[in-house]
Amino acid sequence: MSDIAEGYPLLALCKVFDRVRADIGDAITELEDDWFIQTCPLDLIPYIAAQLGLAVAQPVRAEHRALVADALGFRRRKGTASAIPRRVRDGSGWYALFSPDATTPPAGWPLGAAQPAANAGNLPPARTPAGLLRVWRSPTFAMIGVTPAGASTPGYFHFNPLGITQPLYNLPNTPLGWVAVPPVTALPPKLTTAMLAADLEHYNRMWPMPGTGPGSSMLYGAERGLVIRYRQGSTSDWMTLGADGVRAEPLGPDGVQPPAPDFPVLEGGALALQTITAQTTTLNLNYGDAHAVLTIDVPDAPSMSQLVTLLEKAIADCPVTAGTTVSEADVRALVSGALGNALLIVPATAPMAALSLYPAPGSADPLRLSGSARTGIAAATFPLDEKCLALLNNAPPGTTMTFTAPTGKVLDVGLPFGTAVTTPAEAEAAFAGELTACFVCLAQDRVVIVAPVSTQSPIASTPPAWQLGLVPAVTIDPEQGLFSWPAAWPAPAALAVDYGIAMPGAIGGIGLRGAIPLPAGAVTLYDAGETGWIVAQLSLWESAPTPCTVLMLQSSATRYLDGQAIAPPSGDRLWIASAAASQALISVSSPSAFTLTGANSGTPGAFGMSGILFQGQICLNGGNLDLTLLDMTLIPATGPSIMPLPVAPPQAPTADTPPPAPQPPLAGTANIVIERTISTLLDFSRVQGTIALESCALSPLHAPPGDMTTPVLIVPLASARVSRTTVMGSARLDGALEAVDSLFAGTLTCTRSATFSNCYVTDLRYLSAGTDSAATEAALAAALATHPPGLILLRCEKCAKVSGIGARNMLLRHLTLGTPAEDYCTCGTATPTKTTMCQTCTDAACTLSCPAHAAGASVEPAQAPPAFCADNRYPLPDFARLEPYPQNPRTIIAGATNHDELGVYNLAVPTARRAELDAALDDALLEGTTLDVRFES
């Protein structure tokens, strides 16, 4: 100690001891953390699990902490049905609901019939099941502050900002320690109309007076993740539409029916009957795509009843040109009537078809029927089924049903009627007897009520007006992802929606996203949800670039950009990203291109986007550029999603002019990285540099497309690395290619060097770079069409070297093409070729230079092309998803490096979780007991 003291001052010695003591303390704390499942590192979870006799699958995930921590408690409750859903959640990360049999689970929620197991062909039942376990596998993510897209029918909106019909999903609100069957709010099922209607009916039964109940019901409201917000004016605050302002009803994308009480009616102008002179008027009637000509002999000073009779007769006798959507029967079913001194026409059978009349040339319109059908004029009930009729008949004696018509008139109806109503026609007559100041008619099984215009203040409705549909409300169809805004309300200046969406996670921008790769000192600016903010910020950055700027978009609302040109200077970076739990839509219009230009020299300029729906085109204009796209969906208006900026507008060749020469390569080098992205055609035809695609789905925006011949990837100059990517169309890669764990469902054409590791190819055509590529490709196509699935080798008869290689329906475990160069033809002319089937080849000389027989090479025939789920547009859960075994061979669904499925879903939803589910059930159930597992999504 004295020697140490002599060498070190006392103060320094104290610091050494303090540091040693601190290190020892930290080590003890770390050791204590390692002993507890709640705090240990992930890699230690399997070791702690082993002490309890549990096996934890790899890779270890955070939910496995709960699996191990609750193991002893579950064993004490072994066989208890209430423990199974939580056990499944902790083990596999999936949500589940147990039922003793295949009937609808309790709690009164119509979840629908359980679906058969999606992969029942994989694992035959070992024992008689003791119950039904319904499992939801696709995670549900929140879309917040989305700008809904208007539908083709006025007043109707798609929840999806791209105008795509999609189902809505409940956002699970999982209790931490439930001890019984989990409630519906703890599950992520697809919302059905019946579920939402039952929820809202319960809410309105509990709080019949508007504005008196809580803001959220069980499934709708700001606390539930499904909500509609609106602005009354452009500068107004956002208002949240409460549960007492929405209802659930099927709307459907085709032939949309009007939700009560909005019923379109054509109302004529006010008539001065005594001034009308005798004349014959001819009116052209347009009803959707049908046309009719009404001829009416109008007498002097007619009565309104006379005019209604004449109008009815004209409609019954007129010549009709039927359309595709509106038939002659629809025209004949038009209902005529009068309200005060104005004529009415009610479209009874096709209410959403536009209805208008105009005078024929040379004819007058003394009936003042010229005009357009207007919605919101009439109130209407829901279709009067037994339930609705029972509401009218079973109302307590002396009930006064009050509601406000869309015209502002407050109406009172005494219930029950004097005589019980058993049909819609009887109900229509009873309503007409009560509402003598209104015109009442029947439109199929709805009662339509046209009330006079009034300036009364609206009065709160009384039961059963809400249940009959007579109260204005936003109508939601959760199964189609549609909603309608009632015409009785003022049109909002802006709308925003929150909803749940089910996706495999981290594909196309949905779900959890990794951190953006940013250098130290990056400046992050937030838009606070202001949709016009990004335009100003881009202009500011262009005028004064900074080394690294991140423009963070908060909320999933739509941002609109005009044609934008960005040129990151050498060494500078610009990122546009959606914040967590957001997926903004950037729509580029006028023109629809977003142009990127790199630095002229030196270090590349860098541009990146993350977690965004990008509607428009990205045009590359050369220069040294680093482009990174993470968790994106690229949706061009027309043409490719990414393309080189043309030198000049393309001109179509004529018979007298040759086709234009190929455009020269772009100046500079581009390094492009695209990960977890859905896209249509990526055209890098003039780009030099490197292209990296990882966990991407390249396809038209529906999958599978009608055929796999549509080009989706063109890379003639740059080198490419393709990993865990599904290519649902043709691809041309003429630079160096490295492909790993990918699925090429269309024709793949490549030259130069190409390496495949665990890739499936439906139609591979490798062309030696030194031969006549057109002739070789034609020969390969002919050989592949006439030979069974396998590997085909073409040899040049002039030099006897490899001129082309083809493969059909093959899993390429490991295959290298193009090297060594001396084995490949360089004749450069079209020469006859010799065709060899590699699987049956016995030519020893051929084998010496055959890539399929090279050291380490391994290929397997799969016999059949990949089978995808039925047509499924983004962003539905099964977009680009492979069907399970036996629809696909195991070489496709378990052929990747990690023994999982090939393509974009390889890391998104590991199929190994099925094994984890089985392990969790085996550990939770009594010996000899099993469950019937049904997958819901």
Side-chain angles (χ1 to χ4, degrees):
M1 183 70 183
S2 60
D3 294 339
I4 296 176
E6 291 179 2
Y8 294 92
L10 182 60
L11 181 60
L13 196 61
C14 291
K15 290 182 178 180
V16 170
F17 284 129
D18 288 342
R19 186 167 62 251
V20 171
R21 185 169 60 249
D23 291 343
I24 293 174
D26 291 342
I28 293 173
T29 301
E30 184 177 347
L31 183 61
E32 290 176 347
D33 290 344
D34 291 349
W35 275 98
F36 293 95
I37 190 65
Q38 295 89 345
T39 55
C40 71
L42 287 179
D43 56 359
L44 290 183
I45 290 178
Y47 296 98
I48 298 178
Q51 307 306 310
L52 301 175
L54 291 176
V56 175
Q58 300 290 337
V60 180
R61 299 189 305 277
E63 56 258 33
H64 291 151
R65 294 187 189 276
L67 174 70
V68 178
D70 295 335
L72 294 179
F74 280 122
R75 285 173 180 169
R76 286 194 295 269
R77 293 188 291 169
K78 182 170 290 191
T80 304
S82 61
I84 294 174
R86 186 169 176 182
R87 184 66 165 168
V88 172
R89 181 86 179 105
D90 292 345
S92 64
W94 293 338
Y95 294 87
L97 181 66
F98 171 82
S99 180
D101 51 42
T103 60
T104 302
W109 287 102
L111 285 173
Q115 299 299 314
N119 56 352
N122 268 347
L123 301 171
R127 298 177 289 270
T128 302
L132 172 67
L133 186 69
R134 305 176 69 175
V135 181
W136 285 264
R137 290 184 292 182
S138 293
T140 303
F141 303 106
M143 298 290 288
I144 299 172
V146 177
T147 304
S152 56
T153 303
Y156 288 71
F157 301 88
H158 294 270
F159 279 87
N160 184 273
L162 303 174
I164 293 175
T165 299
Q166 69 171 67
L168 307 181
Y169 286 76
N170 181 57
L171 290 173
N173 180 16
T174 307
L176 294 179
W178 76 74
V179 293
V181 175
V184 69
T185 52
L187 302 171
K190 181 166 60 176
L191 289 178
T192 65
T193 305
M195 287 174 63
L196 187 57
D199 173 46
L200 296 172
E201 182 180 354
H202 174 266
Y203 180 94
N204 285 284
R205 188 168 59 250
M206 296 294 295
W207 295 281
M209 295 301 293
T212 59
S216 299
S217 65
M218 289 285 287
L219 299 175
Y220 176 87
E223 298 175 2
R224 300 301 179 218
L226 172 61
V227 71
I228 298 173
R229 296 183 176 88
Y230 64 97
R231 278 179 168 170
Q232 294 178 328
S234 58
T235 59
S236 304
D237 293 334
W238 285 102
M239 305 285 290
T240 299
L241 187 65
D244 53 8
V246 296
R247 63 164 58 96
E249 183 185 353
L251 295 177
D254 303 316
V256 176
Q257 294 294 311
D262 294 339
F263 204 92
V265 175
L266 189 145
E267 183 178 26
L271 298 175
L273 297 174
Q274 298 304 315
T275 64
I276 296 177
T277 58
Q279 58 188 292
T280 298
T281 181
T282 303
L283 298 175
N284 290 308
L285 181 147
N286 289 330
Y287 187 16
D289 57 355
H291 177 73
V293 179
L294 306 183
T295 302
I296 305 174
D297 293 323
V298 182
D300 282 321
S303 66
M304 289 302 299
S305 60
Q306 282 182 296
L307 294 181
V308 170
T309 301
L310 290 171
L311 183 57
E312 288 176 341
K313 185 176 186 303
I315 292 174
D317 298 338
C318 66
V320 176
T321 303
T324 302
T325 58
V326 177
S327 66
E328 180 178 350
D330 293 326
V331 176
R332 305 292 185 204
L334 290 170
V335 178
S336 302
L339 181 65
N341 59 348
L343 289 171
L344 301 172
I345 299 179
V346 179
T349 56
M352 298 310 292
L355 176 63
S356 62
L357 291 96
Y358 60 94
S363 182
D365 179 19
L367 307 184
R368 300 193 65 184
L369 284 170
S370 302
S372 300
R374 298 188 295 274
T375 59
I377 298 287
T381 65
F382 286 139
L384 294 177
D385 56 13
E386 291 183 6
K387 181 179 178 181
C388 288
L389 292 173
L391 290 171
L392 297 172
N393 294 325
N394 299 332
T399 297
T400 298
M401 181 177 69
T402 300
F403 62 97
T404 303
T407 55
K409 178 72 171 177
V410 176
L411 301 176
D412 296 320
V413 177
L415 295 178
F417 296 123
T419 303
V421 294
T422 59
T423 66
E426 292 177 356
E428 181 260 339
F431 271 106
E434 288 280 331
L435 302 171
T436 55
C438 302
F439 172 74
V440 181
C441 70
L442 197 63
Q444 294 182 311
D445 51 359
R446 297 173 185 243
V447 172
V448 178
I449 303 165
V450 187
V453 176
S454 174
T455 57
Q456 292 177 267
S457 299
I459 296 178
S461 62
T462 60
W466 175 268
Q467 291 91 335
L468 289 171
L470 292 169
V471 179
V474 167
T475 301
I476 299 177
D477 183 344
E479 296 173 65
Q480 304 294 331
L482 282 170
F483 70 94
S484 71
W485 190 265
W489 292 355
L495 285 166
V497 294
D498 298 354
Y499 60 91
I501 181 174
M503 282 293 287
I507 294 179
I510 298 294
L512 301 176
R513 299 188 289 269
I516 300 173
L518 296 176
V523 176
T524 302
L525 306 175
Y526 299 88
D527 73 347
E530 297 179 12
T531 56
W533 175 87
I534 186 174
V535 176
Q537 291 299 320
L538 286 174
S539 298
L540 290 173
W541 190 87
E542 287 182 89
S543 61
T546 53
C548 184
T549 299
V550 182
L551 303 181
M552 190 69 69
L553 309 182
Q554 297 176 296
S555 90
S556 303
T558 301
R559 278 78 168 173
Y560 294 97
L561 298 178
D562 291 334
Q564 192 81 37
I566 300 295
S570 176
D572 284 5
R573 302 186 185 191
L574 175 64
W575 276 90
I576 302 175
S578 290
S582 297
Q583 188 186 31
L585 168 63
I586 293 182
S587 181
V588 183
S589 57
S590 185
S592 60
F594 189 89
T595 305
L596 297 172
T597 304
N600 292 329
S601 61
T603 305
F607 177 78
M609 285 191 285
S610 173
I612 289 172
L613 293 169
F614 190 87
Q615 192 171 34
Q617 288 180 312
I618 299 175
C619 286
L620 304 178
N621 195 30
N624 295 334
L625 176 68
D626 287 346
L627 171 62
T628 305
L629 303 177
L630 307 176
D631 307 293
M632 298 282 293
T633 298
L634 306 180
I635 306 158
T638 58
S641 296
I642 300 180
M643 60 179 290
L645 191 67
V647 173
Q651 296 181 351
T654 64
D656 300 328
T657 61
Q663 294 184 340
L666 293 172
T669 301
N671 299 308
I672 299 173
V673 176
I674 303 177
E675 297 180 4
R676 301 176 302 278
T677 291
I678 296 173
S679 178
T680 56
L681 172 60
L682 300 177
D683 182 0
F684 300 111
S685 56
R686 299 175 58 208
V687 175
Q688 302 179 97
T690 61
I691 312 291
L693 301 175
E694 180 179 331
S695 299
C696 295
L698 306 184
S699 168
L701 291 181
H702 60 90
D707 58 63
M708 295 292 178
T709 61
T710 304
V712 293
L713 182 60
I714 301 174
V715 187
L717 303 175
S719 60
R721 188 179 193 278
V722 181
S723 59
R724 292 183 296 277
T725 291
T726 299
V727 181
M728 303 180 73
S730 67
R732 179 127 196 164
L733 299 132
D734 290 327
L737 169 64
E738 180 186 2
V740 180
D741 294 335
S742 293
L743 182 68
F744 297 90
T747 300
L748 170 61
T749 306
C750 53
T751 59
R752 298 186 175 87
S753 62
T755 301
F756 298 92
S757 296
N758 296 316
C759 291
Y760 182 91
V761 291
T762 299
D763 182 356
L764 170 65
R765 302 177 188 180
Y766 176 82
L767 314 174
S768 177
T771 190
D772 186 314
S773 60
T776 304
E777 186 168 7
L780 273 177
L784 289 169
T786 56
H787 287 77
L791 203 65
I792 293 176
L793 192 70
L794 297 186
R795 288 190 178 275
C796 172
E797 288 195 352
K798 182 178 179 181
C799 66
K801 295 183 178 181
V802 177
S803 60
I805 299 168
R808 183 159 66 93
N809 298 343
M810 293 289 290
L811 177 65
L812 310 180
R813 287 290 183 192
H814 184 75
L815 185 65
T816 300
L817 306 178
T819 56
E822 58 268 20
D823 290 342
Y824 290 82
C825 173
T826 57
C827 294
T829 58
T831 57
T833 57
K834 177 184 177 182
T835 304
T836 303
M837 286 292 297
C838 294
Q839 284 90 334
T840 58
C841 176
T842 58
D843 187 341
C846 179
T847 302
L848 291 176
S849 59
C850 176
H853 293 89
S858 176
V859 297
E860 299 175 17
Q863 300 302 320
F868 293 94
C869 290
D871 184 75
N872 208 342
R873 296 185 67 187
Y874 176 83
L876 301 183
D878 288 329
F879 180 83
R881 185 191 290 274
L882 289 165
E883 292 279 9
Y885 178 84
Q887 290 93 327
N888 278 299
R890 296 190 188 278
T891 50
I892 292 178
I893 63 170
T897 304
N898 60 356
H899 304 293
D900 223 314
E901 68 180 53
L902 296 170
V904 65
Y905 282 78
N906 179 265
L907 296 182
V909 182
T911 54
R913 295 198 184 192
R914 173 61 202 259
E916 297 178 26
L917 169 66
D918 294 333
L921 292 180
D922 287 342
D923 187 69
L925 295 171
L926 291 171
E927 185 67 29
T929 305
T930 186
L931 295 177
D932 180 13
V933 178
R934 309 272 178 100
F935 292 116
E936 298 292 331
S937 58

